[in-house]
Amino acid sequence: MTLLPSKRIRCGVAGVGSLGQHHARIYAELPDAELVGIYESSDARAAEICAKYGCRRFESLDALGAACEAVSVVVPTDRHAEVALPLLAQGAHLLIEKPLCATLDEAQRVLAAAQRGGCLVQVGHVEHFNPVMEFLEKQVSHPQYITAERLAPYQPRGTEVGVVLDLMIHDIGIVLALVKSPVRRIDSVGVTVLSKKEDIANARIEFENGCVANLSASRLSTKRQREIRLFQSDAYLSLDFMNQEGHLLEKRDLLAYGAKVKLGLVKAGELGEIPVKQIPIEKGEPLALEIAHFVESVRRAREPKVGAVLGTHALEVAIEITEQIQKAGG
C-alpha cells in the first residue's frame, strides 16, 4: 500500500441505524474526510441521512465500495462478513464495528479478502480510543489483577449475539491490550433471561504471566456502567469509561503517608485516610477519535491501532467464553 495524496478521503457507511448514523455524522464533520454516501435498507432512514449530510444513497455494496476509499460497516454482527466481503472486493478499506464477525470462520474469510486486496481492516473496539484507555496505556505496566463491569439496560438491538459478543468483548479487548500475555485458562458462567442467548455473563481469565482478569457483563441492568479496576505492585487504579474519570493510589504515596503516621507527624485519617489522586482526564468523544484514526490510517497506509490481530484475538476469547456458557446450558 502507498501513501495516499493529501486530499480528503472518500468515505461511506454501510448501515446508518442507531450507531451508523453517528459514523455518517462524524465523516461529514471531519476535515480530512468526505462523506460520499451510504448503503441502507430503510428508505426512510436513508432519505433522512442523505438529506442531512448531502450524501448519496447507493443501491448496492459493490457501488458503495467502488466509490469510496474507506467504509464503516455498521450492521448487525451476523451480517458483518456478508457486507464486508463485497466492499473488500472493490478495494475499500474497512472499519468494521466490533466484534469483527460472529464466527472465527467468517473473520478469517474477511481478513483473507483484505490481505488479497491490500486493504486495511480496523475493528471498532471504540473503548481503545476513550481517553481513559490512553491513561491506562501510559500508567499500567504489569497488571496483576483486573476487574471490569459493563452494564446496560435491555434493548432488542444487538441480541442477534449474546452479551459476551455484544458488551463483554469491549473489556476483553481492553484486557488483552493491557496484559500482553497469552491466555492460559478461561472459566465462564452465563444466564439467558429475555433473549435466545446469554444476557448476563462472568468470565475469569488467567494469563501465562500470572495476571487474572474477572469480567462481568449484563444487558438487563437498570443503569449503564462501564468501570475497570486494576492492581499492580506499585499502584491501584479505578476508572470509569462512561464518565471518563477515575482515581489512582500509588504505593509510594501510601508508604509516605504511613511513615508520617508512624512518626506521629499526622494522625491516621487526618490527610483523608488514604492519599488517593483524582486522575486528570481530558474528555473526548471516543467514536470521533476512532474514526479520525481510521481515516488517518487509510491516508498513511499504516496498520490501525485496533487491527486484525487484536480484533481476531478478542473474538477468539469471546467465542471460547460463549461456548463454555452454551455447554453449561446458560
Side-chain angles (χ1 to χ4, degrees):
M1 292 178 289
T2 57
L3 183 64
L4 293 171
S6 182
K7 62 179 181 59
R8 293 201 296 168
I9 302 298
R10 300 189 308 276
C11 301
V13 183
V16 287
S18 177
L19 179 58
Q21 63 179 324
H22 294 295
H23 280 249
R25 168 181 61 83
I26 292 165
Y27 282 129
E29 293 172 350
L30 283 175
D32 293 335
E34 175 191 357
L35 178 62
V36 173
I38 62 169
Y39 176 81
E40 169 59 44
S41 60
S42 166
D43 292 340
R45 176 49 68 91
E48 175 191 348
I49 297 299
C50 288
K52 193 170 186 178
Y53 300 116
C55 62
R56 173 185 169 190
R57 182 189 188 184
F58 288 87
E59 297 300 322
S60 72
L61 290 166
D62 287 340
L64 178 67
C68 297
E69 295 162 278
V71 177
S72 285
V73 175
V74 200
V75 296
T77 302
D78 55 3
R79 293 192 59 217
H80 280 186
E82 172 192 340
V83 171
L85 290 171
L87 294 168
L88 290 169
Q90 295 296 327
H93 304 287
L94 301 185
L95 169 53
I96 303 176
E97 267 302 334
K98 62 80 199 163
L100 175 55
C101 287
T103 69
L104 286 173
D105 178 66
E106 289 178 344
Q108 289 163 0
R109 286 167 54 207
V110 167
L111 297 177
Q115 188 173 31
R116 285 195 303 271
C119 299
L120 294 176
V121 171
Q122 179 172 319
V123 186
H125 286 265
V126 69
E127 295 287 38
H128 288 257
F129 299 89
N130 191 310
V132 167
M133 187 63 175
E134 182 181 357
F135 177 84
L136 286 171
E137 289 168 335
K138 293 176 181 176
Q139 188 72 33
V140 176
S141 56
H142 49 280
Q144 296 171 311
Y145 182 63
I146 302 172
T147 66
E149 191 170 35
R150 190 167 293 261
L151 312 176
Y154 183 81
Q155 56 182 357
R157 184 179 66 83
T159 55
E160 73 277 0
V161 294
V163 74
V164 174
L165 283 170
D166 183 21
L167 297 181
M168 186 185 283
I169 195 164
H170 281 295
D171 294 315
I172 293 171
I174 290 166
V175 167
L176 292 176
L178 294 175
V179 177
K180 299 181 180 67
S181 174
V183 173
R184 180 169 61 197
R185 177 185 174 90
I186 300 174
D187 293 293
S188 315
V189 294
V191 180
T192 299
V193 182
L194 293 181
S195 64
K196 295 181 180 179
K197 302 180 184 291
E198 82 283 348
D199 295 307
I200 302 170
N202 175 268
R204 184 179 188 274
I205 306 173
E206 296 180 20
F207 293 89
E208 293 289 351
N209 67 0
C211 181
V212 173
N214 194 340
L215 313 182
S216 296
S218 170
R219 57 187 181 194
L220 298 177
S221 177
T222 57
K223 62 179 181 179
R224 294 185 182 277
Q225 183 174 309
R226 310 196 316 261
E227 296 182 353
I228 189 169
R229 296 172 180 82
L230 301 95
F231 301 81
Q232 57 187 32
S233 60
D234 62 352
Y236 160 67
L237 302 90
S238 177
L239 293 111
D240 182 337
F241 276 90
M242 187 169 68
N243 295 307
Q244 297 180 4
E245 61 187 21
H247 59 265
L248 166 68
L249 173 61
E250 294 186 281
K251 183 177 181 180
R252 61 187 179 186
D253 293 334
L254 188 58
L255 290 175
Y257 174 74
K260 289 181 180 180
V261 172
K262 189 174 182 179
L263 292 171
L265 299 176
V266 297
K267 294 180 180 178
E270 187 174 312
L271 297 182
E273 297 183 6
I274 298 178
V276 175
K277 298 175 181 176
Q278 294 300 312
I279 298 171
I281 295 175
E282 185 176 347
K283 298 186 178 183
E285 183 184 0
L287 185 61
L289 296 171
E290 176 185 57
I291 292 174
H293 174 84
F294 173 55
V295 170
E296 187 64 11
S297 296
V298 170
R299 177 188 301 284
R300 295 183 176 275
R302 68 184 183 191
E303 186 66 18
K305 180 180 180 181
V306 186
V309 174
L310 180 58
T312 303
H313 193 188
L315 180 61
E316 288 172 344
V317 172
I319 288 176
E320 171 64 23
I321 294 169
T322 300
E323 289 178 347
Q324 286 188 9
I325 291 171
Q326 290 172 346
K327 287 177 183 177

